[in-house]
Amino acid sequence: MNKIWMVALVASLFSLAATAEAETSLEFENVWVRAMPPFQPNSAGYLTLINRGESAVAIVGASSNVAESVELHVTREVDGLMRMEKLQGLAVAPGERVELTPGGKHLMLFGLAFRLVPGDDVEICLQLITDEEVCTDAEVRKSDDTSNHQHHH
């Protein structure tokens, strides 16, 4: 009897894991992190998110293998000055494309472990409200070269 109960429990856990993965249907495009001059402890990350699923996806945080912390930010004009503000989260509706670009929404990578130079690859992970994490690789480059799109799932 215990064996049957254990098999049912394991089967239901695999089913939940498959459902959770299916619901996290974010695709990444043009993922890159800005190369910085020597001794600059921070950088910025940019990407396009596409929600191919049928449910909205809520992003509540981010991380990287090369930074002490990563935050979602937006650049806004306030009293004639451009200011960067921290975002608490970001929602991506079904079928929606959300672009994180220079001068708009973006990721801030704080406390870099080493100098990022063009050609390096770093990992970017997004934390979802469901406690899931979705990760992708980001190319380090000097500027947004959209001719070199990266497509990640």
Side-chain angles (χ1 to χ4, degrees):
M1 185 80 138
N2 281 341
K3 204 182 271 189
I4 293 171
W5 182 82
M6 190 61 100
V7 168
L9 176 64
V10 170
S12 67
L13 289 175
F14 279 119
S15 150
L16 284 173
T19 302
E21 185 157 331
E23 289 176 14
T24 308
S25 51
L26 282 181
E27 288 184 12
F28 297 83
E29 288 183 355
N30 194 29
V31 184
W32 65 285
V33 173
R34 187 176 302 278
M36 300 305 291
F39 310 111
Q40 175 63 27
N42 308 320
S43 185
Y46 310 101
L47 54 99
T48 299
L49 293 167
I50 303 131
N51 182 354
R52 301 277 186 212
E54 296 179 14
S55 303
V57 175
I59 300 162
V60 295
S63 63
S64 174
N65 62 337
V66 297
E68 289 176 13
S69 65
V70 178
E71 296 178 357
L72 292 162
H73 280 223
V74 66
T75 303
R76 300 182 199 266
E77 185 177 337
V78 179
D79 298 326
L81 300 173
M82 297 307 286
R83 302 188 66 183
M84 203 167 45
E85 298 175 2
K86 182 178 178 181
L87 295 173
Q88 296 305 310
L90 182 66
V92 185
E96 184 180 24
R97 294 175 66 91
V98 174
E99 294 186 16
L100 280 65
T101 60
K105 294 175 186 152
H106 59 279
L107 298 172
M108 282 301 302
L109 288 76
F110 295 106
L112 295 174
F114 52 86
R115 180 177 174 218
L116 303 180
V117 296
D120 284 350
D121 282 319
V122 301
E123 183 179 63
I124 299 287
C125 295
L126 302 177
Q127 282 82 42
L128 309 182
I129 199 164
T130 58
D131 288 331
E132 294 172 82
E133 185 175 68
V134 290
C135 298
T136 190
D137 290 330
E139 178 186 5
V140 176
R141 43 179 132 130
K142 290 183 180 180
S143 65
D144 183 14
D145 176 10
T146 54
S147 65
N148 188 16
H149 281 310
Q150 293 182 16
H151 298 275
H152 299 277
H153 299 264

